[in-house]
Amino acid sequence: MNTASNFCTAAKAIGEIGPKASAAVPALMKAAQNDKWPSVRKAAVTALGEMRSAAKEAIPMLRESLKSPDDWMRLAARNALFRVDPERSQEAADIADKNQFEEKGILWQDLSQLSATLPARLPEVYDLVIYDKYAMATVPQSDSPTGRGKYTYKAGTVTGPEEATGDDCKKKIALAKVDFSVVPKLVQQAPTLLGLPSGKVSLVQLTPGVFCRSHGWLVYVENAGFVEFRLDGKVGKVQKM
């Protein structure tokens, strides 16, 4: 078990003790503010919530966490404040909701902001999965047990890392070299190529594929299958369901 997992287990145990473990509040606050791993920060925030009024010194830090770009961190902070500062629970909920940013439109229809943001933060990826409102990138992460980490992109912000599962494929691709401008055209083509022109695209994936050959695009269409495109947008394999 790695350090992050150890801390999360310890934080859960402390939270179960509740207010009687109030001596741990400073350490939990430090972890909630400074730890690299979101899982650790969230576990610390959740444990602080279980301290209830014994964690009142953490209220300013918890309120600041309501502004986090990480959806799960905002939720953890809001839930913690409901317990620590119940008289201001509605205010906490309002702050969290105010800082919930959503992607405008469908992400894969305009990847200009993603392509301007992601390569600077994540130079190389193993794969990148683009959903309608967010994207998830699996990258090299030396301090993860598997050597991989997962980051989330949403509305111009990047959060992470979370631990990612291992994979035998070692092929990486530099995001700065990827032409994201071809994606909207691929999304338009895929349903027709699969014989379902009105089909709905579920996700777009930049991947070296099951056989780890070379990176390309996979466009998945609900109830139809997927189309494999090369990086330059040329059609490769059409796989119907």
Side-chain angles (χ1 to χ4, degrees):
M1 187 179 293
N2 72 339
T3 303
S5 297
N6 284 335
F7 183 93
C8 292
T9 300
K12 182 178 179 181
I14 291 170
E16 289 173 351
I17 296 171
K20 291 182 179 180
S22 59
V25 168
L28 290 171
M29 289 176 59
K30 182 178 179 181
Q33 290 175 296
N34 301 323
D35 200 273
K36 173 181 180 177
W37 293 93
S39 58
V40 168
R41 299 198 300 272
K42 295 166 198 170
V45 164
T46 299
L48 285 167
E50 297 299 331
M51 300 291 181
R52 299 184 182 272
S53 60
K56 281 194 172 181
E57 64 181 288
I59 288 175
M61 182 275 297
L62 292 172
R63 288 175 67 83
E64 190 63 29
S65 296
L66 294 172
K67 303 174 185 177
S68 171
D70 185 320
D71 292 344
W72 294 109
M73 176 59 78
R74 287 197 311 278
L75 178 61
R78 184 181 67 176
N79 290 341
L81 280 164
F82 285 175
R83 295 175 172 84
V84 179
D85 193 15
E87 293 182 0
R88 303 177 72 177
S89 59
Q90 186 58 54
E91 183 182 351
D94 291 342
I95 295 172
D97 290 343
K98 181 180 178 180
N99 286 279
Q100 181 174 346
F101 297 103
E102 292 290 340
E103 189 72 36
K104 295 180 180 179
I106 303 300
L107 181 55
W108 54 63
Q109 292 179 351
D110 182 2
L111 290 167
S112 56
Q113 188 175 33
L114 180 148
S115 63
T117 303
L118 214 54
R121 180 76 184 274
L122 307 174
E124 290 185 314
V125 302
Y126 290 112
D127 66 26
L128 175 67
V129 183
I130 306 170
Y131 299 96
D132 58 345
K133 296 296 183 182
Y134 66 97
M136 300 192 75
T138 302
V139 306
Q141 190 77 41
S142 61
D143 52 356
S144 168
T146 63
R148 294 172 183 243
K150 187 165 286 187
Y151 290 77
T152 299
Y153 168 90
K154 183 181 179 183
T157 63
V158 182
T159 57
E162 300 287 356
E163 292 179 10
T165 57
D167 194 307
D168 292 335
C169 181
K170 306 299 182 185
K171 278 189 168 60
K172 297 172 287 190
I173 188 167
L175 287 182
K177 296 181 179 180
V178 176
D179 181 7
F180 288 95
S181 68
V182 303
V183 173
K185 182 180 178 181
L186 309 186
V187 169
Q188 290 179 342
Q189 286 181 293
T192 299
L193 290 169
L194 287 163
L196 192 65
S198 61
K200 180 181 179 182
V201 171
S202 56
L203 64 89
V204 179
Q205 185 176 14
L206 175 65
T207 174
V210 176
F211 300 105
C212 195
R213 292 171 179 164
S214 61
H215 277 80
W217 298 103
L218 292 181
V219 180
Y220 290 84
V221 179
E222 292 182 6
N223 303 315
F226 68 86
V227 180
E228 180 181 305
F229 295 91
R230 294 204 291 265
L231 284 175
D232 60 6
K234 292 183 179 179
V235 179
K237 178 181 180 182
V238 177
Q239 180 64 55
K240 296 183 179 181
M241 291 181 62

